[in-house]
Amino acid sequence: DGGITQSPKYLFRKEGQNVTLSCEQNLNHDAMYWYRQDPGQGLRLIYYSQIVNDFQKGDIAEGYSVSREKKESFPLTVTSAQKNPTAFYLCASSYGGSSGNTIYFGEGSWLTVV
Amino acid sequence: AQSVTQPDIHITVSEGASLELRCNYSYGATPYLFWYVQSPGQGLQLLLKYFSGDTLVQGIKGFEAEFKRSQSSFNLRKPSVHWSDAAEYFCAVGPLGQAGTALIFGKGTTLSVSS
């Protein structure tokens, strides 16, 4: 079945460590996105990518990094520079980069700093 | 600045009662409009979207929404709520025909359904 797969579902990180969240899609979508969700805050955009080898910062990119070496994959690294990384992370994708296209979401990854 | 406001943080309705969730947006141009639903710990599922044309849009699970340009609103409605509708609902907007952008989401409205 086509869809967006995020892994792991649950991740625990010690302070000072970098962690990478995986996002893979087999929908042949051009654009991919990472959002962060905190209780009562809605979804905030971290990074997005319209095409391979290109990506743009969103509203809260500090402390995060991404790569887009393949169309299907858009991993997110949460670095030690991110001061408050505990959150629910959602990966999404869409045809094209225009927000007129529907964005489809993965099931999310929970990151907890211990 | 572009923004989306969902004025109600939490709403409780009785099963079988009607529902309306409010969404207001601030945008410089005609936007695309979306409603998504999220069950706890899950991703978001698209309920419906408005791009152009008829301002009353039908979606999945019996939901509908009406775009009112004069009020900058895109309220979500359902005539009879089921217990399974309890979830968090997000309104989102995006610019018309502008490549290289992503949706802007409201902060969400949590719906509880009482029996």
Side-chain angles (χ1 to χ4, degrees):
Chain A
D1 288 349
I4 302 170
T5 302
Q6 290 186 237
S7 62
K9 179 69 175 179
Y10 300 95
L11 184 60
F12 296 88
R13 188 195 91 173
K14 293 183 180 180
E15 285 194 24
Q17 287 182 336
N18 294 354
V19 294
T20 297
L21 306 181
S22 170
C23 179
E24 303 278 334
Q25 55 97 2
N26 59 5
L27 301 168
N28 199 33
H29 284 171
D30 299 302
M32 297 187 74
Y33 312 82
W34 275 105
Y35 286 90
R36 170 178 170 146
Q37 186 176 17
D38 297 279
Q41 295 298 313
L43 278 71
R44 293 181 291 170
L45 182 66
I46 305 172
Y47 270 98
Y48 65 97
S49 168
Q50 298 179 74
I51 57 173
V52 174
N53 294 322
D54 184 54
F55 47 84
Q56 289 79 40
K57 293 182 178 180
D59 299 322
I60 56 166
E62 184 175 353
Y64 300 96
S65 66
V66 293
S67 62
R68 187 86 187 276
E69 298 178 359
K70 299 186 299 181
K71 185 176 184 178
E72 314 81 61
S73 178
F74 192 41
L76 174 73
T77 297
V78 185
T79 74
S80 57
Q82 170 50 236
K83 298 306 179 187
N84 186 22
T86 296
F88 188 52
Y89 291 87
L90 287 160
C91 179
S93 68
S94 68
Y95 284 113
S98 167
S99 64
N101 295 301
T102 300
I103 290 180
Y104 297 89
F105 285 84
E107 291 298 301
S109 293
W110 290 95
L111 173 62
T112 303
V113 174
V114 297
Chain B
Q2 304 156 0
S3 66
V4 179
T5 301
Q6 295 181 243
D8 304 303
I9 297 173
H10 189 193
I11 285 181
T12 300
V13 299
S14 299
E15 190 170 13
S18 63
L19 169 71
E20 182 169 32
L21 301 182
R22 296 181 291 165
C23 173
N24 294 96
Y25 63 89
S26 174
Y27 225 80
T30 302
Y32 290 124
L33 296 157
F34 302 80
W35 274 100
Y36 285 86
V37 61
Q38 183 183 35
S39 297
Q42 301 297 315
L44 277 68
Q45 180 184 22
L46 179 69
L47 284 176
L48 49 78
K49 59 188 178 184
Y50 171 77
F51 285 1
S52 64
D54 193 346
T55 57
L56 184 62
V57 180
Q58 301 297 320
I60 63 171
K61 303 184 180 185
F63 285 93
E64 66 178 26
E66 186 172 13
F67 170 55
K68 293 186 177 180
R69 187 186 306 274
S70 62
Q71 299 177 17
S72 297
S73 69
F74 188 56
N75 294 347
L76 182 71
R77 299 193 295 248
K78 186 170 186 178
S80 178
V81 169
H82 188 262
W83 65 266
S84 60
D85 293 325
E88 190 159 20
Y89 292 80
F90 292 94
C91 181
V93 302
L96 175 66
Q98 227 181 77
T101 57
L103 295 184
I104 300 169
F105 285 82
K107 293 187 176 182
T109 298
T110 300
L111 172 65
S112 297
V113 180
S114 61
S115 56

